[in-house]
Amino acid sequence: MSRAERLLELMQCLRRRRHPVSGKALAGELGVSLRTLYRDIASLQAQGAHIEGEPGVGYVLQPGFLLPPLMFSAPELDALMLGARWVARRTDSELAHDARNALSKIAAVLPADLRQSLHDSALLVGPPDAVQDGLDCLPALRQAIRQERKLLIRYRDRQEHDTERVIWPFALGFFERVRMVSAWCERRQALRHFRVDRFVALEPLGERYPVRRQALLKRWREEQGIHADPLGV
């Protein structure tokens, strides 16, 4: 691994962590000595990276810094393209448009050879199974999740009974045949899952729910026995 690649990997190691990490752990992850690790951190700090910490305490990267030029390995570009292709074929048109925009921004700052390898990716996504979402409400659901806003929904259960509920949506799951919303249900006073194709009506209430989305997601993970995000972020 070249020094430039090592510095990029060090940045990624720090970005993946929200709390200070020891120099020993970072050196072990990169396969270098502590002395080399300290030199690399000093080099990044000299280039403007807001890395706080010191030996024996740990290091944390403050947000807002990109190491130019933006570089990815060929496998990383394959992963990005595969993810974007999945989004384009398995979600709604608005999110597909956003995925294409994100790829365009990445391609614009890549060197020419890497830009070509991005578009030449041989990892493809097959045709999706038929998904019946009923209401065209995925954009509204994503907005409510981002803004931590309550929703009034009319929901049809398995017995074809309609009920009105106020929910606090905090996550949206995309499966092969259904979309699932994870939310706090005021009616049940508990965390619940709702199938999007069973939404009969949806109305944003404009009212922020009183718990942070991250707290609801943490509680949901604990109840589901999920200890970490699969991407580690």
Side-chain angles (χ1 to χ4, degrees), residues 1-15:
M1 182 187 297
S2 69
R3 184 168 185 271
E5 290 174 326
R6 193 174 70 243
L7 291 177
L8 285 167
E9 183 60 26
L10 175 55
M11 289 291 292
Q12 289 302 105
C13 291
L14 290 167
R15 284 196 182 102

Side-chain angles (χ1 to χ4, degrees), residues 64-118:
F65 176 76
L66 290 175
L67 185 66
L70 183 62
M71 295 289 287
F72 294 96
S73 67
E76 288 171 341
L77 291 174
D78 273 345
L80 286 171
M81 180 57 80
L82 180 62
R85 285 171 174 166
W86 191 95
V87 169
R89 300 202 69 166
R90 304 297 176 93
T91 63
D92 58 279
S93 59
E94 181 179 302
L95 201 57
H97 177 73
D98 291 337
R100 287 190 289 269
N101 278 348
L103 276 181
S104 296
K105 291 177 180 178
I106 292 171
V109 295
L110 287 173
D113 57 335
L114 288 179
R115 187 182 311 125
Q116 188 60 43
S117 68
L118 176 68

Side-chain angles (χ1 to χ4, degrees), residues 2 40 47 71 74 80-81 95 105 107 116 121 129-130 138 141 144 161-162 181-182 185-186 198 223:
S2 69
D40 287 348
Q47 295 182 55
M71 295 289 287
L80 286 171
M81 180 57 80
L95 201 57
K105 291 177 180 178
Q116 188 60 43
S121 174
D129 292 333
L138 292 181
L141 285 168
H161 299 147
D162 289 3
V181 178
S182 298
C185 176
E186 291 189 357
R198 292 181 179 160
E223 290 189 5

